[in-house]
Amino acid sequence: KRYRLSLPGNRSKHMLCPMSSRAMISSGCRSSSRGLAVAAAASAFRPSLRRPVYHQHITSNNPSISYRQLFNKAQKSRRSSSKHVSVATKGPGAKPKLVGPQNSSWGSTMADLGPIPRSFYLGHESTILRPRYSGKSAWFGLTTVTGINILIFGMWNEPGQDEEWMMQNFTTNIENSKERPWTLSTSSISHQNGMHILGNMFAMWLFGFNTYRVIGAFEFAKLYVMGGIACSGTHVLHNLATGKTQPPLNKEERDTFERMAEAQGIESVKDLPPQVRERVEYADKPSLGASGSVMAISAVAASLFPLDNVRLNPRMFYMPLPVAVGIFVASDLFGITQEGSPTDHAGHLGGLAFGALYAYSSWYSGRWGVTGQLPIVYRFKQMIQQRK
């Protein structure tokens, strides 16, 4: 979620109103049975047994060869192989695979799967990708990011805190981006409202836990920071494009307009007196929140795990992760056309677009230790072939 300064609207302090609630979908559960490990071994050592379908169990058509024999052969080869081995060929039919040290499975404990229950996230049991990093590493990394966000949230709500200083250093707008360029990044760890930080951290654990286990600490940190910068930069460009270039509202103006709205029962900016309405509508609006980083992470997660399923709440139906991300995109494309929306729709789209480009470039450049096609690309091509 990203907050924007908007008057009037939510009665929260300084009118930093939360966007409409996002999909409450959480980080995933992914299991791997012994049969799957054996099937993967069969795929690795018996090319004739490989099926062209991306996420599908591989079985043997030779009754004289047992799964136990194939499993033993895989274990023996693994012990004798070097640490880094290329495991996929190039070309349109290349399967997406990791290269280098890997864990054998996603595990089955909370330490391996993260804190989010299966009622929100359902990992596809036959996914080809396997984690390169432990669940404990992901717990440590995401807990660190969460802790930093909680620290800044505490600063916002500390009694006696200089809120004008917080606005200048932990929100982004045209003025801050010029005079204090670090705010392009610090705004992505900044939350003033409790529900705001709760929703963003929930979504980060949802999309980020398994993603972290594939790409690792450094790449995840880079994705979070650069996704936030992309979100902030898009917000600044949107302010410029829509004429919101007047000086931002100062604390005195915000307090005055809030009291006016409460006294007169005003619920919309359109109901303000003309002079006040023009000042509010064309002021350089600040933005804050981790939603840009979360959207970038969600784009990477959808690219890596296209068959994983999520749902908005336990009573709803599951949907593929790319479909859920697509719904976010459609919502922001519609919201960006609505004047006076408190949500930073432009920033969301900027963060997500960066995440998609980052996933594509990182996969094919080899920075993530992978070969073959990006999983979502591989899956899309499969769907086209199956329809023919």
Side-chain angles (χ1 to χ4, degrees):
K1 299 179 183 178
R2 263 275 179 166
Y3 283 48
R4 290 177 58 182
L5 189 63
S6 177
L7 283 172
N10 189 298
R11 299 298 187 191
S12 61
K13 203 166 189 180
H14 297 325
M15 295 302 178
L16 287 170
C17 307
M19 59 181 257
S20 56
S21 59
R22 285 291 186 186
M24 289 292 100
I25 38 186
S26 49
S27 82
C29 300
R30 182 170 283 98
S31 62
S32 176
S33 63
R34 187 178 71 172
L36 175 58
V38 173
S43 173
F45 295 99
R46 293 181 60 82
S48 61
L49 301 181
R50 296 180 183 176
R51 294 184 181 179
V53 181
Y54 170 32
H55 288 286
Q56 193 171 48
H57 288 289
I58 305 165
T59 58
S60 175
N61 294 323
N62 186 347
S64 64
I65 298 180
S66 68
Y67 279 135
R68 173 56 61 183
Q69 289 173 312
L70 292 173
F71 181 81
N72 291 338
K73 186 176 181 180
Q75 292 291 90
K76 181 178 179 181
S77 176
R78 184 182 301 168
R79 287 192 295 267
S80 62
S81 61
S82 60
K83 191 175 182 181
H84 292 271
V85 181
S86 178
V87 292
T89 59
K90 297 181 179 180
K95 292 185 178 182
K97 289 191 177 183
L98 295 171
V99 184
Q102 306 174 36
N103 292 325
S104 59
S105 71
W106 290 96
S108 57
T109 66
M110 182 177 288
D112 296 318
L113 301 176
I116 307 301
R118 292 177 66 91
S119 57
F120 289 100
Y121 190 104
L122 190 61
H124 200 280
E125 64 178 4
S126 57
T127 180
I128 283 179
L129 289 182
R130 288 288 175 265
R132 303 178 69 231
Y133 301 90
S134 68
K136 292 181 180 180
S137 173
W139 270 97
F140 178 80
L142 269 66
T143 300
T144 300
V145 176
T146 303
I148 294 172
N149 279 270
I150 292 175
L151 175 64
I152 305 304
F153 171 73
M155 292 174 61
W156 272 107
N157 294 276
E158 181 182 359
Q161 177 63 258
D162 184 353
E163 294 177 359
E164 199 64 28
W165 182 86
M166 294 295 293
M167 291 287 291
Q168 292 174 353
N169 290 277
F170 290 96
T171 67
T172 187
N173 55 17
I174 299 173
E175 181 180 281
N176 282 352
S177 65
K178 292 179 179 179
E179 299 180 4
R180 294 169 285 273
W182 59 84
T183 58
L184 293 172
S185 176
T186 57
S187 61
S188 65
I189 56 173
S190 177
H191 304 82
Q192 191 184 36
N193 179 274
M195 291 303 297
H196 186 201
I197 187 173
L198 180 64
N200 275 343
M201 294 301 99
F202 186 83
M204 183 188 72
W205 281 85
L206 160 68
F207 294 112
F209 194 85
N210 292 325
T211 301
Y212 188 108
R213 293 193 65 186
V214 172
I215 68 177
F218 178 75
E219 288 292 322
F220 187 88
K222 187 164 60 173
L223 174 63
Y224 186 98
V225 172
M226 296 180 69
I229 292 174
C231 174
S232 298
T234 307
H235 171 75
V236 169
L237 292 175
H238 184 256
N239 274 3
L240 289 169
T242 54
K244 297 178 176 64
T245 55
Q246 293 184 13
L249 299 175
N250 57 41
K251 186 178 187 302
E252 182 179 352
E253 288 178 310
R254 293 194 300 269
D255 292 342
T256 300
F257 295 160
E258 284 180 9
R259 288 194 297 267
M260 178 188 301
E262 291 178 358
Q264 301 180 14
I266 296 175
E267 298 293 338
S268 172
V269 173
K270 296 179 181 179
D271 298 330
L272 289 168
Q275 186 175 2
V276 176
R277 182 175 67 246
E278 181 178 353
R279 175 72 181 100
V280 172
E281 287 182 345
Y282 294 100
D284 182 11
K285 290 182 171 56
S287 175
L288 76 166
S291 59
S293 300
V294 171
M295 292 295 276
I297 294 168
S298 72
V300 174
S303 300
L304 295 178
F305 310 110
L307 293 186
D308 285 7
N309 288 274
V310 294
R311 54 182 175 183
L312 307 183
N313 65 63
R315 297 182 179 180
M316 293 185 66
F317 58 88
Y318 283 104
M319 64 184 74
L321 209 159
V323 174
V325 174
I327 291 175
F328 296 166
V329 173
S331 172
D332 284 320
L333 287 174
F334 174 77
I336 201 173
T337 64
Q338 306 303 303
E339 186 64 32
S341 173
T343 303
D344 187 5
H345 297 288
H348 291 176
L349 294 171
L352 189 137
F354 170 80
L357 293 173
Y358 189 78
Y360 187 90
S361 62
S362 298
W363 182 279
Y364 289 107
S365 67
R367 287 203 306 270
W368 292 349
V370 289
T371 60
Q373 297 183 81
L374 189 64
I376 194 171
V377 174
Y378 192 93
R379 177 60 180 168
F380 181 73
K381 289 182 178 181
Q382 274 191 339
M383 293 173 60
I384 294 177
Q385 292 175 357
Q386 292 171 0
R387 292 178 179 275
K388 290 182 180 180

